[in-house]
Amino acid sequence: MEQSPLKKSSKIFHVILFCIVVSKGQNVDPLSFAFDKKYGQVEVGGPFVGMEFHHSNPLPSRISFYYPVANSIDVSTGYWERDASRPMAIGIQVGNGKKKWIGKEGWRYDLSPHTVSFYDRDSLVSYKIRYEFCLNEPAAVFSLNVKNESGISRRVTVYSHLLLALRTCQTYSRKDSAAMEYIPQNQAVIANFPDADTKFASVFVMNAGEHAAKTWIDADEIRATDDGKSLWIDSTLAAGELTAKKRIRAMAAYQYVKELQPGEVMTIVQVIGSSNQDEAAKKVLAPSTIWQNEINAFNDLVRKKASSETIFRTNDPKIDRTLQWSKAILTTNAHYIDWRIVPMPCPAEYNFFFTHDLLMTNLGAVNFDLDRVKNNLLYVASLAKDSIIPHAFYWKDDGFKLEMCTPSNWNHLWFIEVSASYLRHSLDTATIKQLYPLISKSLSEILTQLKSDNLMYAFRPDWWDLGWKEGPRTYITALSIRAIEDYLFIASMIDKGNPSLLNLEHHANNMRSALVTKLWDDSVNFLINYNGADKDIHRYMGSLLAPSYHLLDEARTNKMLETTKEDLLAPNVGIRAVMPADFDQDSVIKYFKIVGDEAGKAYTYINGGVWPHNNAWYALALNAAEKSEEALAFVKQMMTIDGVAESPNGIPAMYEYRYSNPSSSKYGEIDKPSFLWAGGFYLYTMYTLAGMNDNVWNLSVGENHAQFDSTIYFNYTFGDMKDVSLGGNGKQFSEISFDGKKIPSLILPVERRSAKNISIKFGSTSEPYLTNANAVVHSVKYSTAKKQFECMVSSFKGHSTTLNISGKAKPNRILLNGKLIKNVVVNKKSETLFNIAVMFTASNSSDKITIKW
């Protein structure tokens, strides 16, 4: 690797954490969580290496490498048995006592998104095992501290074994043997795999701490004997002297011996990595300081992204810790693939790129990191073929493989929504013009699934990527309505002469109606699906998209939330993916043409498991239903690091899914505890609960927002980064000002995009203000002297436009481009406010609305 795919910075960021959690009068690092229950999974990693642990065991069950391609050290017999994998072993002998193998049981640990330290002790010694990861080099650093806790001097011997057996990406073929090298300068062991499906990778282990008394490389020899007759490597051998012509069952094993005085610590450090064979020797000959610099640089990057580059502070420790943790997860869950560092769902368990993970996560990231979203969208575009976006990208057998999205793939819809969201936040039309052919293609592809009943059809049940039974679907219909309307917004900004826009608007309106008239079921008070002509008896969590997107009336929204609470809510755990959880039954498997148990056993995985976006959409639906306080309480309990850790079988995790059978002792058990979406959806949800809405046509401040104990402060992207403060009491709007200039609007007008500071206050106001608009809002102003409100908007010719204005009195005259308009509805909004709905057909250019009192 001639040049790192990440830019090496000459500046090392020494981040001081101002946003702290206060516990028992002491400052606590918000990116560190102490956990002592000694159960559950841990996953941590960096751009090039990730590690997976089970049962709070301090030794990894899996080590995943991403350079030169995705290979892993994993000796499990199957996916659901991966907790039994034991590729690493640590032995301890004190004096002439019996040698014991430690780390086979759960230890307490301190977890961060990018590192973990495990702790244990016995009557004579205490242990600390730590795992850290490099920023620019393809390696991780393992360290073991052994401290003499007795009152006398003791000789301590430590044995370290790591089996160098690789699993290949996708096919999961096991490679047990390799050609070996030993380099004595750094006591480094290199396993060279002459297998094309590993891309001829080398795995190396370098001793970088205490000097090892002995080293050996043959797993069969070390297993055959434990009396010192193993294939020891004398550290005086010349570099490369032991290079093997034949392949052996590879192991990197070391023995360390030291006389420890009372309180003295023995520190063992090993660098574990993977590279191309022609560069492995150079990697291990690098000075030991480079590895310390590398892990420091990665730590600095994670903390910069989490805590200092952007802020979001509510002064609620649980909420704020998880906000920082989420941003850290978005930084750490990015891996090397084919000369790029791209978002990946997990630190260790997934070794391939999914477009879906990138897109859904960026619904949250777009609020504070436009560069990330832009680069991610352009990366997806770089993999496109004939303007069709990819579904997945990974290494397999002899090269990188690319799976393209089929016409029914929901990635098309998320790609449109994230692109539109990026445009609303950035106003970057140049990038969107680059993406526009792909956006248009995605819409045309997905609309092949629109049938004559104005509903979207799919083979998959709900949001899943398995099953094969076609019928109309609530999830994809709701998502398609949003995607069409997002496309209308995009086209209005860069292609308003597009002749298809009016027809698309007609489709969206018909779909809105059909969603309710044909998929709402009064018998269950829920939006359902059909399979052919058969009514699907399941309640799927994907239906929550409809109330989240404001596609249901108030009465149905409230009924649906009650059904969700009764049928899908697993108490103290979260919202299940589906109920009943019967997709493991033979009859259901046969009916939906599912392959075996790929949906999971009952209450596992998508068959009734609890996922992070389930919880997010439920909270967003509550907020849309003016139940913002309930939504915030739900988020604190179900989605924060502290809330999850305090729940049944909880651990400090932003997880993929949880087991949800309440009658089981495993209730709430977590799988994949460091999951990209969880961070993205938490951020998306918190920005929305704070009042920042990403509507179809504009960014706006929501009168539906959660109440916090004090003014909250956060960064927010609108044109560029803004410093935002939001405070006051109640839900009624008081004022919003941009760099001190008041604007009578809940919508952020385009003309204010260059402001640096936004101040939002709730309470009451005597002046009228704009509350909603389904057109791009360019400017809003109110003259107290003239008692006159003016608003400039744009969309596309023929667009059915509605503006909503709140005021304390009924208006006298309303003008559209200087002419009197009569299509106005005025209703009582509250005891003191009227809602004025102004409806008109848009012109080919901007439209000016004037209201006089």
Side-chain angles (χ1 to χ4, degrees), residues 325-343:
W325 202 287
S326 296
K327 287 189 285 183
I329 288 291
L330 267 60
T331 304
T332 59
N333 284 18
H335 305 156
Y336 173 93
I337 183 171
D338 196 25
W339 296 101
R340 298 288 297 271
I341 302 294
V342 301

Side-chain angles (χ1 to χ4, degrees), residues 770 775 779 781 788-794 801 803 805 813-819 821 838-840 846-852:
L770 180 66
S779 63
K781 61 183 179 180
Q788 181 171 299
F789 173 93
E790 291 181 356
C791 180
M792 190 73 73
V793 301
S794 70
T801 309
L803 272 62
I805 301 96
R813 299 178 68 201
I814 300 178
L815 305 176
L816 172 64
N817 299 324
K819 296 182 180 180
I821 182 173
V838 182
M839 293 160 281
F840 60 93
S846 297
D847 292 301
K848 181 179 180 181
I849 296 86
T850 305
I851 304 177
K852 298 182 178 182

Side-chain angles (χ1 to χ4, degrees), residues 513-818:
S513 176
L515 179 72
V516 175
T517 58
K518 298 177 181 179
L519 295 182
W520 178 262
D521 189 333
D522 281 319
S523 67
V524 291
N525 286 324
F526 208 76
L527 283 167
I528 63 167
N529 296 334
Y530 283 84
N531 302 302
D534 301 338
K535 181 188 293 187
D536 194 331
I537 65 167
H538 298 89
R539 269 82 67 210
Y540 297 98
M541 75 83 206
S543 295
L544 288 169
L545 268 183
S548 298
Y549 286 159
H550 302 277
L551 300 179
L552 289 180
D553 58 77
E554 181 181 354
R556 286 189 175 91
T557 293
N558 286 323
K559 289 178 180 178
M560 189 166 171
L561 287 169
E562 285 301 313
T563 299
T564 302
K565 189 180 297 185
E566 292 173 7
D567 294 353
L568 295 181
L569 177 61
N572 301 312
V573 171
I575 303 298
R576 298 182 176 99
V578 65
M579 286 297 286
D582 59 3
F583 282 83
D584 59 326
Q585 295 183 10
D586 290 342
S587 60
V588 180
I589 289 172
K590 182 178 180 181
Y591 180 82
F592 282 98
K593 300 179 182 177
I594 292 171
V595 180
D597 64 351
E598 63 177 344
K601 300 296 184 184
Y603 302 101
T604 303
Y605 198 50
I606 55 178
N607 186 17
V610 172
W611 290 64
H613 56 309
N614 307 9
N615 292 334
W617 283 330
Y618 179 66
L620 294 172
L622 286 170
N623 187 64
E626 300 186 15
K627 301 178 186 293
S628 304
E629 307 314 310
E630 184 178 344
L632 184 61
F634 177 84
V635 167
K636 285 183 65 174
Q637 181 183 20
M638 307 296 189
M639 296 177 67
T640 62
I641 291 289
D642 294 83
V644 172
E646 294 163 4
S647 65
N649 283 302
I651 57 177
M654 306 200 78
Y655 55 85
E656 182 191 48
Y657 79 92
R658 306 187 70 173
Y659 181 65
S660 71
N661 184 356
S663 64
S664 171
S665 61
K666 295 183 178 181
Y667 182 60
E669 193 173 86
I670 285 169
D671 194 30
K672 300 187 186 72
S674 182
F675 198 61
L676 185 68
W677 302 2
F681 271 102
Y682 182 82
L683 291 159
Y684 176 38
T685 303
M686 283 308 306
Y687 268 99
T688 304
L689 293 185
M692 306 312 293
N693 290 333
D694 195 341
N695 301 319
V696 169
W697 290 89
N698 302 280
L699 302 180
S700 69
V701 180
E703 291 184 290
N704 288 351
H705 68 280
Q707 297 290 308
F708 296 90
D709 293 336
S710 60
T711 299
I712 65 174
Y713 302 90
F714 52 88
N715 294 120
Y716 189 67
T717 54
F718 175 51
D720 55 13
M721 191 70 76
K722 315 296 182 197
D723 294 326
V724 181
S725 64
L726 188 150
N729 297 315
K731 296 185 179 296
Q732 186 175 329
F733 175 70
S734 176
E735 66 178 50
I736 181 171
S737 60
F738 296 77
D739 289 344
K741 182 178 180 179
K742 293 182 182 180
I743 302 294
S745 174
L746 287 172
I747 294 172
L748 310 188
V750 171
E751 72 167 9
R752 304 308 304 166
R753 62 186 172 186
S754 61
K756 298 302 179 185
N757 300 286
I758 302 176
S759 175
I760 305 164
K761 295 180 181 179
F762 285 85
S764 63
T765 182
S766 58
E767 296 182 351
Y769 59 95
L770 180 66
T771 61
N772 196 19
N774 67 337
V776 178
V777 175
H778 294 272
S779 63
V780 189
K781 61 183 179 180
Y782 177 74
S783 170
T784 305
K786 295 181 180 180
K787 293 186 177 181
Q788 181 171 299
F789 173 93
E790 291 181 356
C791 180
M792 190 73 73
V793 301
S794 70
S795 55
F796 59 90
K797 188 176 181 179
H799 172 55
S800 297
T801 309
T802 302
L803 272 62
N804 291 281
I805 301 96
S806 285
K808 291 208 168 186
K810 294 182 179 181
N812 294 326
R813 299 178 68 201
I814 300 178
L815 305 176
L816 172 64
N817 299 324

Side-chain angles (χ1 to χ4, degrees), residues 423 427-435 494:
L423 180 56
L427 302 172
D428 175 10
T429 55
T431 297
I432 295 300
K433 285 178 181 178
Q434 285 183 257
L435 299 172
I494 64 172

